[in-house]
Amino acid sequence: MEKKIYRMEHLGCANCAAKMEAKFNAHPGVKEATITFATRQLRLTAEDPDALIPELQTLARTVEDGIVIVPREDPTAEAHVHHHDCDCGHEHHTHHHDCDCGHEHHTHYHDCGCGHAHHHECSHEKPVHSGGVTRIYLMENLGCANCAAKMEAKFNAHPGVMEATITFATRQLRLTAENPDVLIPELQALARTVEDGIVIAARSEADAGSREKKERQPVSEKTVLLLGAALFVLGLVLDHLGAGIPALISCITAYILLGREILATAAKNMVKGHVFDENFLMSVATLGAFLIGEAPEAVGVMLFYRVGEYFEHRAVERSRSQIMEAIDLRPETVNLLVRGKVRVTPAERVLPGATVLVRPGDRIPLDGTVVSGESRIDTAPITGEPVPVRVTAGDSVMSGCINISGQLTVKVEKPLSESMVTRILDSVENAAASKPKIDRFITRFARIYTPIVVFGAAAVAVIPSLVTGDWHYWVYTALTFLVMSCPCALVLSVPLAFFAGIGVGSRKGILFKGGQSMEAMGAVKAVVMDKTGTLTKGDFSVQQVEGGDELLALCASCEQQSSHPIAVSISAAAREKGLILKVPEALEEIAGQGIRAVLDGKTVLCGNSRLLEENGVVFDAVQARGTIVLVAVEGVYAGFVRIADSLKKGSAEAVQDLRSGGYVTVMLTGDSEQTAEAVGRELGLDGVHAGLLPHQKLERLQQIRQETGGVMFVGDGINDAPVLAGADVGCAMGSGADAAIEAADVVFMTSDPAAIPQALEIAKKTQTVAWQNVVFALAIKFAVMILGLFGHASMWLAVFADSGVAMLCVLNSIRMLYRKNDK
């Protein structure tokens, strides 16, 4: 069998790539075929791979037109500007573009809900489909998670919409169209057919309206609930005293006060053809209770439904505000310096080149460079690192960090839209819009859950009643089913759990690029890491000297004229200690061996073992990590200097935490085998693979995946981009290359290895909470249904199974924000 790699030109759809891979593997001549969409590569194993290419190319074109399969080394295998159509019905493009922001953009891929790969660029407006622009809007008055799912389906069915995603946790609409703003009136009208009062507006406009609403809404709603509760209690007291008519009047008044909006909305929705919504179901259930003579229970159910809904909405709003406060560090105003005077100016109006004043205690408003002043800044809001960093003139500072001590003057390098605070906010919002599989599953499940329960309620009301004749009992039981048939607890709690997890990660300097990334972490069995820049600092320095300062000075005197990185490290270490270096009387560099010099009339050898062996020097081999520079004086071994890339502070603890969590830990590096093995032993890694080129890292990663299962890769170099894209979950250090950060699913802003086990733990807890909500909500609902069939459940309990369970699921989702013992 022979394995070869080919490039698949014009491959623009991730879902189509998966279909092609399945077709290829079903071909009788193919032993194994793997398509990597991120790199457009086909890895083909067969007896004669080249002979199969025409057939496979024909197979590929049955899925997506225009596919060309060529050898990877073929010079024609370059990226082309093109567009094509595949059988999915979407048009796909690969291109660079210019937008009015004036910056260069780089194309990379992501998956949206349609299952196709689209290209996205800068954070404010992004062409993603043919001629399409993506913009973000806020949906004011959006109060129902299930309704949000229905609106999203309607929006995506609109002929002018290329893609629409509604994130209930943030109340955001991410809309892709040729001209999104033009579509807003039509989409707002569509949204109002599902839920009244929806207003779709730009974020800034909606924020102001939201603040006003928060100030007014709770007061009026509280008043209605208190009056309704008072009338309900009055009705119960009058009924107990035997005043039947006044009691009934009091109950009816309370019911109208509490349920008028629900009844009106249900009537409007019935006219529009929307039957299976919570307003209709509550109306039918409570009016049915009146008809069977259970007026107090009808009012009580409506009251407790409204109370539960009130607390549920408060819990959701509280969770939203807490998460957004944690991640939205954008300043409203800055202290702009104009001709020596301070002018308070809106942050979005400040352009690069301007100078701002940052007083002690202020948050740095925009990314820039310190012009004057000295201070310590708290970078924890951005990186999660608790130790303050000292900054002086010339140092770069990130927006969002807090100035602790001195006053700083900062020259703005980036506008607000490109500063770190906005990038983090955009990352979190983008992540919230990337829905995991469990979220999509629950949305689909909700579409069939409610009709099934409603038809089940009708069957419970009619069939047993015809058999037993006890219509009151079975109609009452059916009404309890209707109360519980709304799936809001399910639809609401799952995305909120992931949003909370993303928020927790951002506070720790861990940016998840989507719920899908968090979900994929749940299947990770092995954590594969690069060495330099990930586990080690990437700065070579003297780690050990055998022979003391005298030997270090001797070696540095010989090496001080060399520009080799090893020589520079030795000279720098000697100067840091204040050692006096001498000028050699004679000096000879021996290629591949080291230096022979004469100092104070003595011959000094500084180099590797080969240099000493050829000069007859007897010495013991040194087994240690890094580069060993051996020193001999007048033919006698004097000691050695060890230069190595120093380990990051948290590397050992991170590896230990990963192994304790049951993960296999492996290091892939291009460094020498000796150095890599030494690092592996020091850290206690399960496996080390050294001397690898970028494509060899990817091959080794795939082997590890076959042996262990899901693989997460952590790297920081530009050469890590292919393996990052090829891993099940790719993680990049925030200090790394832009290409690595772009290719990654998760970014560690701290560049601290401790973030690796932290990210896995957050992802695991998030998924646990999400599934807890699903299981808990369904278990309670089904338990109450069963109790109802046996006559042990009332409509009051049914209200708890609906609104009460929803509120508990919301509280369970946001409890991660309050954990104090997270590592």
Side-chain angles (χ1 to χ4, degrees):
M1 288 292 174
E2 184 182 357
K3 179 186 292 184
K4 292 193 71 173
I5 300 175
Y6 302 85
R7 187 173 180 85
M8 301 189 67
E9 279 301 292
H10 305 173
L11 179 63
C13 169
N15 190 40
C16 299
K19 293 179 182 178
M20 291 176 207
E21 185 178 288
K23 283 178 176 283
F24 290 177
N25 280 296
H27 190 286
V30 174
K31 182 180 180 182
E32 183 182 358
T34 304
I35 297 175
T36 306
F37 178 73
T39 58
R40 290 202 207 91
Q41 285 187 353
L42 163 65
R43 187 178 299 273
L44 181 63
T45 303
E47 288 187 3
D48 187 354
D50 290 338
L52 293 175
I53 292 305
E55 295 178 53
L56 298 186
Q57 186 169 277
T58 302
L59 272 178
R61 289 178 177 179
T62 65
V63 179
E64 185 173 1
D65 286 340
I67 297 294
V68 179
I69 304 177
V70 294
R72 186 173 54 174
E73 64 273 16
D74 192 317
T76 63
E78 298 294 332
H80 302 290
V81 178
H82 64 276
H83 67 277
H84 60 278
D85 294 306
C86 65
D87 64 356
C88 65
H90 290 77
E91 186 177 29
H92 308 279
H93 283 246
T94 303
H95 60 272
H96 291 278
H97 73 283
D98 294 316
C99 72
D100 58 5
C101 67
H103 294 81
E104 182 183 0
H105 306 278
H106 306 282
T107 304
H108 61 284
Y109 304 91
H110 73 284
D111 289 326
C112 68
C114 69
H116 299 85
H118 309 289
H119 313 288
H120 67 279
E121 269 89 326
C122 66
S123 61
H124 52 291
E125 289 193 354
K126 320 174 186 72
V128 288
H129 294 256
S130 174
V133 171
T134 295
R135 293 199 64 187
I136 299 173
Y137 303 86
L138 276 184
M139 300 188 68
E140 279 298 289
N141 306 330
L142 180 62
C144 171
N146 192 38
C147 298
K150 294 178 183 177
M151 291 176 205
E152 184 179 284
K154 283 180 173 286
F155 290 178
N156 279 298
H158 190 286
V161 173
M162 295 174 178
E163 184 186 351
T165 304
I166 297 176
T167 308
F168 181 74
T170 57
R171 281 204 300 262
Q172 286 187 352
L173 164 64
R174 186 176 298 269
L175 179 63
T176 302
E178 289 186 3
N179 191 340
D181 291 339
V182 172
L183 293 176
I184 292 304
E186 295 179 53
L187 297 185
Q188 186 168 279
L190 270 178
R192 289 178 176 177
T193 64
V194 179
E195 185 174 3
D196 281 339
I198 296 294
V199 177
I200 303 177
R203 266 191 290 200
S204 57
E205 298 171 7
D207 282 339
S210 179
R211 282 193 293 270
E212 293 176 9
K213 181 183 175 184
K214 285 178 184 176
E215 292 174 2
R216 297 192 310 263
Q217 179 86 3
V219 176
S220 59
E221 192 168 354
K222 280 182 183 177
T223 302
V224 170
L225 292 176
L226 289 173
L227 285 174
L231 288 169
F232 171 61
V233 172
L234 178 61
L236 291 178
V237 172
L238 292 172
D239 184 61
H240 182 72
L241 295 175
I245 299 300
L248 182 61
I249 293 173
S250 181
C251 286
I252 292 174
T253 305
Y255 181 80
I256 293 172
L257 181 65
L258 294 167
R260 69 187 190 284
E261 291 183 5
I262 292 173
L263 293 169
T265 303
K268 291 177 185 177
N269 289 346
M270 284 180 66
V271 173
K272 298 170 185 175
H274 300 302
V275 177
F276 298 128
D277 74 329
E278 59 183 348
N279 298 291
F280 174 79
L281 297 169
M282 280 301 302
S283 299
V284 171
T286 51
L287 290 173
F290 269 108
L291 293 175
I292 61 174
E294 299 288 347
E297 190 150 357
V299 180
V301 166
M302 185 63 77
L303 171 63
F304 283 95
Y305 172 76
R306 289 290 304 275
V307 170
E309 194 178 47
Y310 171 76
F311 283 110
E312 177 190 324
H313 288 170
R314 290 295 299 273
V316 171
E317 289 300 324
R318 185 177 178 84
S319 65
R320 278 178 179 147
S321 62
Q322 286 175 332
I323 296 170
M324 294 308 291
E325 283 172 10
I327 61 176
D328 191 357
L329 305 175
R330 295 174 302 170
E332 292 185 6
T333 60
V334 300
N335 294 320
L336 184 66
L337 284 174
V338 181
R339 297 173 184 173
K341 295 183 179 180
V342 176
R343 179 186 299 170
V344 179
T345 307
E348 62 271 14
R349 295 183 184 176
V350 179
L351 301 176
T355 303
V356 298
L357 182 68
V358 184
R359 301 185 178 97
D362 287 351
R363 194 181 296 275
I364 296 172
L366 303 165
D367 291 3
T369 303
V370 177
V371 176
S372 63
E374 180 179 331
S375 182
R376 288 181 301 119
I377 61 172
D378 178 9
T379 64
I382 302 298
T383 66
E385 176 58 50
V387 180
V389 177
R390 179 176 173 271
V391 294
T392 58
D395 290 335
S396 297
V397 290
M398 290 185 296
S399 55
C401 300
I402 300 172
N403 183 24
I404 297 177
S405 51
Q407 183 167 284
L408 298 174
T409 302
V410 177
K411 181 181 178 182
V412 175
E413 302 290 344
K414 296 179 181 178
L416 180 62
S417 61
E418 297 177 21
S419 288
M420 182 59 68
V421 287
T422 303
R423 287 171 58 193
I424 289 178
L425 179 63
D426 286 344
S427 295
V428 174
E429 291 177 342
N430 291 342
S434 174
K435 299 181 180 181
K437 292 179 182 177
I438 182 177
D439 194 355
R440 296 196 295 270
F441 163 74
I442 290 299
T443 301
R444 291 194 299 269
F445 176 78
R447 292 173 189 164
I448 62 171
Y449 166 81
T450 300
I452 287 174
V453 175
V454 170
F455 288 123
V460 167
V462 176
I463 297 173
S465 299
L466 292 174
V467 176
T468 64
D470 191 353
W471 287 88
H472 183 280
Y473 173 82
W474 291 111
V475 169
Y476 181 84
T477 302
L479 294 177
T480 64
F481 277 43
L482 290 179
V483 172
M484 304 183 272
S485 57
C486 181
C488 276
L490 295 170
V491 180
L492 168 66
S493 58
V494 171
L496 196 59
F498 277 89
F499 186 47
I502 290 167
V504 170
S506 70
R507 291 198 306 195
K508 296 178 179 292
I510 302 169
L511 296 184
F512 296 96
K513 290 190 178 179
Q516 295 173 357
S517 304
M518 300 185 80
E519 199 169 51
M521 281 186 166
V524 166
K525 302 298 181 185
V527 178
V528 180
M529 295 162 280
D530 181 39
K531 180 180 77 71
T532 307
T534 301
L535 294 172
T536 62
K537 294 179 180 178
D539 57 342
F540 288 88
S541 59
V542 173
Q543 303 292 322
Q544 182 182 357
V545 178
E546 185 186 84
D549 289 349
E550 184 179 346
L551 184 128
L552 178 61
L554 188 66
C555 188
S557 296
C558 297
E559 301 277 9
Q560 62 182 314
Q561 301 301 324
S562 174
S563 61
H564 192 281
I566 300 299
V568 172
S569 299
I570 294 172
S571 301
R575 291 192 180 94
E576 283 179 10
K577 290 194 170 188
L579 303 179
I580 298 174
L581 305 185
K582 299 178 181 179
V583 178
E585 299 158 23
L587 188 143
E588 177 189 4
E589 287 197 32
I590 305 172
Q593 295 185 23
I595 292 175
R596 179 188 289 114
V598 177
L599 280 169
D600 296 331
K602 297 179 180 179
T603 300
V604 180
L605 300 175
C606 296
N608 56 25
S609 57
R610 184 179 170 189
L611 176 65
L612 269 63
E613 288 170 354
E614 290 191 359
N615 285 273
V617 179
V618 178
F619 63 96
D620 293 328
V622 179
Q623 298 294 331
R625 177 175 66 86
T627 300
I628 306 299
V629 178
L630 304 171
V631 181
V633 180
E634 288 294 302
V636 179
Y637 176 68
F640 67 84
V641 177
R642 181 169 67 89
I643 298 94
D645 182 7
S646 55
L647 292 173
K648 286 186 176 180
K649 185 178 179 181
S651 293
E653 292 80 359
V655 171
Q656 182 59 42
D657 288 344
L658 289 171
R659 297 190 67 187
S660 299
Y663 298 100
V664 176
T665 57
V666 183
M667 183 174 71
L668 303 182
T669 178
D671 209 340
S672 67
E673 188 170 343
Q674 181 182 353
T675 299
E677 290 289 348
V679 171
R681 285 194 299 272
E682 194 169 345
L683 294 177
L685 295 168
D686 295 311
V688 174
H689 303 281
L692 301 176
L693 296 174
H695 72 276
Q696 293 173 322
K697 285 185 178 182
L698 184 57
E699 291 172 359
R700 187 68 67 176
L701 181 91
Q702 291 168 346
Q703 291 176 7
I704 296 169
R705 181 190 286 121
Q706 291 176 357
E707 295 168 2
T708 64
V711 175
M712 183 172 90
F713 181 80
V714 187
D716 79 321
I718 192 168
N719 62 330
D720 291 328
V723 69
L724 280 166
D728 296 293
V729 181
C731 305
M733 293 294 176
S735 59
D738 288 344
I741 293 173
E742 285 293 312
D745 301 303
V746 183
V747 178
F748 302 134
M749 299 298 295
T750 59
S751 294
D752 185 353
I756 301 171
Q758 283 182 354
L760 287 164
E761 184 66 18
I762 291 170
K764 187 182 294 183
K765 287 176 182 174
T766 299
Q767 292 178 78
T768 299
V769 168
W771 279 110
Q772 282 175 349
N773 289 341
V774 172
V775 173
F776 175 69
L778 288 176
I780 293 297
K781 285 177 181 286
F782 288 139
V784 173
M785 287 180 189
I786 293 170
L787 288 173
L789 290 174
F790 290 96
H792 300 297
S794 65
M795 289 179 66
W796 304 72
L797 187 57
V799 171
F800 168 76
D802 179 39
S803 297
V805 167
M807 186 173 64
L808 291 176
C809 287
V810 170
L811 295 175
N812 187 46
S813 296
I814 65 173
R815 66 187 172 91
M816 287 185 293
L817 296 171
Y818 297 96
R819 293 182 67 94
K820 301 297 184 182
N821 58 345
D822 285 339
K823 292 182 180 179

